[in-house]
Amino acid sequence: MRLVHKSLHVQVADTLRQDIFAGSLAPGSFVDEVALCERLEISRTPLREALKVLTAEGLVRHEPRRGCFVNEVTERDLDEIFPVIALLEGRCAHEAALRASDADLAALETLHEQLQKAARGKRIVDYYDINYTIHEAIITLADNRWLAQVIGDLRKILKLARLQQLHAPGRLTQSLSEHLAVFAALKARDAEGAEAAMRTHLTRQREALRELARQQNRRLA
């Protein structure tokens, strides 16, 4: 695979980011620069520039005299990130409630109908996809590029954890109820209610992940 466009290091960063999110470059794994240069048919310079980008995003860490490694997300990281992203996405819901047009709300209603169908069918993969689209739509409606930028950066870190909170017992039904509460507040143009509902939604995601971790630890004990 040969990368030939301008801003080569940006393309390399995109490729490596996809590898990380797909698990081809697993959390904690060593980033073999020689092998990557051979696979991508590039020199060390664009690769190292790309690694600087990924380091700034928190996806990769550089260790002196050892090289680069894919970052791992710890329980402490999750404890620290979720309250922040809950605040930020809560603010997005607040601003979206003030800005959304009738057409915007109609589009969101269609997405929530799809979300309910996925939940009823226990189609978790579809539910994740629609859930992501809804969150992105609310962020877009907030029309605040600074919020969007910071949330995007934090979401990249959370992707490293390969989160599966919907597999926690009862979480699918609970998540749907939370989403409907957010949407009800948006329809009512209740900015404070939408913000509170979104913060609750993100906080409970973290609680579900803690429960999954406890279950896993019990199985391993």
Side-chain angles (χ1 to χ4, degrees):
M1 177 173 61
R2 187 169 184 80
L3 302 175
V4 294
H5 293 76
K6 63 181 180 180
S7 301
L8 182 57
H9 78 279
V10 174
Q11 292 206 7
V12 175
D14 288 343
T15 298
L16 296 182
R17 194 182 294 112
Q18 291 168 11
D19 287 346
I20 290 170
F21 292 157
S24 303
L25 287 172
S29 64
F30 173 66
V31 179
D32 188 334
E33 294 187 20
V34 174
L36 283 172
C37 285
E38 291 178 357
R39 176 165 74 90
L40 300 177
E41 300 181 36
I42 57 174
S43 68
R44 283 287 183 93
T45 298
L47 176 60
R48 287 180 172 170
E49 289 300 312
L51 290 173
K52 288 179 183 178
V53 172
L54 299 182
T55 299
E57 292 178 357
L59 298 179
V60 167
R61 70 180 185 278
H62 179 265
E63 297 185 7
R65 297 182 296 280
R66 294 192 65 205
C68 287
F69 295 81
V70 179
N71 262 333
E72 298 174 272
V73 177
T74 66
E75 288 296 308
R76 177 176 174 176
D77 292 327
L78 296 178
D79 284 339
E80 292 174 349
I81 290 173
F82 266 95
V84 176
I85 204 166
L87 285 169
L88 296 172
E89 290 210 42
R91 184 62 194 179
C92 281
H94 182 285
E95 296 190 14
L98 300 177
R99 298 175 187 274
S101 67
D102 290 344
D104 294 328
L105 293 173
L108 277 176
E109 185 159 20
T110 298
L111 286 171
H112 282 83
E113 289 170 356
Q114 295 171 2
L115 195 72
Q116 290 181 77
K117 290 179 182 177
R120 284 197 296 269
K122 299 189 185 306
R123 294 181 280 111
I124 289 181
V125 172
D126 291 340
Y127 188 97
Y128 269 119
D129 290 342
I130 301 164
N131 169 77
Y132 181 84
T133 301
I134 289 172
H135 279 265
E136 283 294 298
I138 292 172
I139 292 167
T140 299
L141 288 175
D143 194 25
N144 184 320
R145 67 188 178 99
W146 302 108
L147 277 173
Q149 179 177 313
V150 178
I151 291 169
D153 289 343
L154 289 175
R155 280 185 165 187
K156 289 173 186 173
I157 303 299
L158 290 178
K159 274 191 176 184
L160 289 175
R162 305 179 72 77
L163 305 179
Q164 295 293 323
Q165 48 95 15
L166 290 179
H167 290 282
R171 178 58 193 154
L172 186 61
T173 300
Q174 184 186 56
S175 174
L176 176 61
S177 176
E178 292 159 12
H179 262 290
L180 293 176
V182 173
F183 182 54
L186 290 172
K187 285 198 298 183
R189 314 288 184 177
D190 177 3
E192 291 185 1
E195 181 170 3
M198 182 62 82
R199 289 174 66 174
T200 295
H201 176 52
L202 272 297
T203 299
R204 288 181 178 167
Q205 281 188 24
R206 179 65 188 118
E207 292 170 358
L209 288 168
R210 283 198 196 94
E211 179 56 31
L212 280 177
R214 283 193 290 266
Q215 291 178 9
Q216 184 175 15
N217 289 336
R218 284 196 293 268
R219 287 195 295 270
L220 296 175

